[in-house]
Amino acid sequence: MEEKIIVGLDIGTTKVCAVVGRMNEHNQLEILGLGHAASEGVRDGTVSNIAKTTEAIDQAITDAENDSNIEINVVNVGVAGKHIKSFRQHGSITLPHQEDEISVTDVERLTNDMYRVITEPGTEIIHVLPLHYTVDSEEKIKDPVGMAGVKLEADFHIVTANSNSIRNITKCIERSNLESDQMMLEPLASSMAVLSEEEKEAGVAIIDIGGGTTDIAIFYDGIIRHTAVIPFGGDIITSDIKQGCAVMQNQAELLKVKFGQSMAANTKDSDVVEIPGINNRTPKEVSIKNLAYIIEARMEEIIDLIKAELKDSGYLDKLAGGLVLTGGGAKLRNLQHLFEYKIGLDTRIGYPTVFLGKSHGSEKVKDPKFATALGLALAGFKSIDERDKDRPRSIYQQPIHQEEKKRFSTEKEKVVDTTAPRGKNIFSDFLQKAKDLLIDDYEDDEDYKD
């Protein structure tokens, strides 16, 4: 049997990351390769420049291929952005009287009906997630398969995305000569990498702080209950630092990453950092406490929006597992304590190690910023909903020898001549296929005569 290898591709606002993985004998993800590149064509989680995004994908995929010695053809892709919306929908079907019990097929039929629900113009459904079922008069059933009944009903959590945003992601994937197997909401992917089943059962909210957005997913009783997107992330903090400290964008990012803190009370008044002046001008001193005040003010605003979202969901008081912070923005110093102070729930930083096995690449990805890419790789082996007994489609990617790998890399670097006439090639292919069919028919006739 061929070995199943899955590639997760995270197209983020600040980076594009590709993770190549396979499941080992202990049912843990073994990392075979990692590639990442700076993202300059994505804004607020949405592709804004096809060419630059494609270039970043090419770089990340090439690095992952070089690291893993595997030719990548198919990827699982994350979807994010402020265009993401969700709502609840009720559905029902009547079962044939001759059926003895509810089958997986019946549940699938009810779920598939939800993809026909009318959504806002210009949007499409990317996830249909069942909350609970009703069989005849019996309510709040977690899994109805095997039960006897005539009418099957369910409440669903439906996630939609802007159709043009999905098309732009697809264009970038296709221009990189790749195929998308699954498209998954990024906080759901991240949850697969950082949340334990016990946390999902107890009630937990994952807060994925990216560059352009902050994504929320709430689990309770082992089931996804709510998703939301806050249109602010790490980039807006960098912009605040740029304006508040009167520095350049790249200097603001360095200040945030190296010296930034989310609680000004934990800093000293005397601590300063010196920034080189522009074009031999006098170096500029930045107060660490003032830097922390800027970060804290923006983070408090984001946390207030998160708390309001948790309250509106109805699960704020049911999260015994507390909050799990992940994504690149989760690495801000003291952010965990600020969340605990503002929201009043136990909080931890989500490192993607829950299902991660030991491998040569495992240490490199033990970072919250890789949680989404790892989750997308895990999505090829596991389901978001544990009740879903369907196995994911088998997508196999073959290891290649060094000679073939070198040839493949060289071919990918060749520039396609877009001025060459394509009609002749297409027509030639058509003639060849027609010729092959005629030969096959002729041979079949000869066999029949015999």
Side-chain angles (χ1 to χ4, degrees), residues 344-376:
L345 294 174
D346 289 338
T347 305
R348 72 173 178 88
I349 304 300
Y351 293 92
T353 58
V354 177
F355 298 103
L356 195 60
K358 291 184 178 180
S359 58
H360 83 280
S362 61
E363 292 302 320
K364 294 186 291 185
V365 298
K366 289 181 179 179
D367 189 306
K369 68 181 180 181
F370 294 130
T372 298
L374 277 170
L376 290 167

Side-chain angles (χ1 to χ4, degrees), residues 143-248:
D143 188 353
V145 175
M147 296 182 65
V150 175
K151 188 175 183 180
L152 176 63
E153 302 175 76
D155 287 327
F156 293 90
H157 180 74
I158 296 179
V159 182
T160 66
N162 182 275
S163 298
N164 288 332
S165 296
I166 297 297
R167 289 193 195 101
N168 287 335
I169 293 174
T170 303
K171 283 181 182 179
C172 294
I173 297 298
E174 290 175 348
R175 291 190 182 188
S176 294
N177 297 317
L178 300 170
E179 179 185 342
S180 173
D181 179 33
Q182 296 185 58
M183 278 197 179
M184 180 178 289
L185 185 64
E186 290 193 355
L188 298 184
S190 299
S191 70
M192 300 185 76
V194 303
L195 297 184
S196 66
E197 296 306 320
E198 291 79 9
E199 285 176 317
K200 292 180 181 179
E201 194 71 27
V204 65
I206 181 171
I207 314 295
D208 191 341
I209 308 172
T213 60
T214 297
D215 305 323
I216 304 170
I218 299 174
F219 290 83
Y220 183 75
D221 198 20
I223 300 170
I224 180 70
R225 300 290 181 172
H226 184 76
T227 56
V229 176
I230 306 296
F232 302 111
D235 283 357
I236 196 168
I237 296 175
T238 303
S239 297
D240 289 347
I241 296 171
K242 176 185 175 182
Q243 295 179 15
C245 297
V247 295
M248 296 177 64

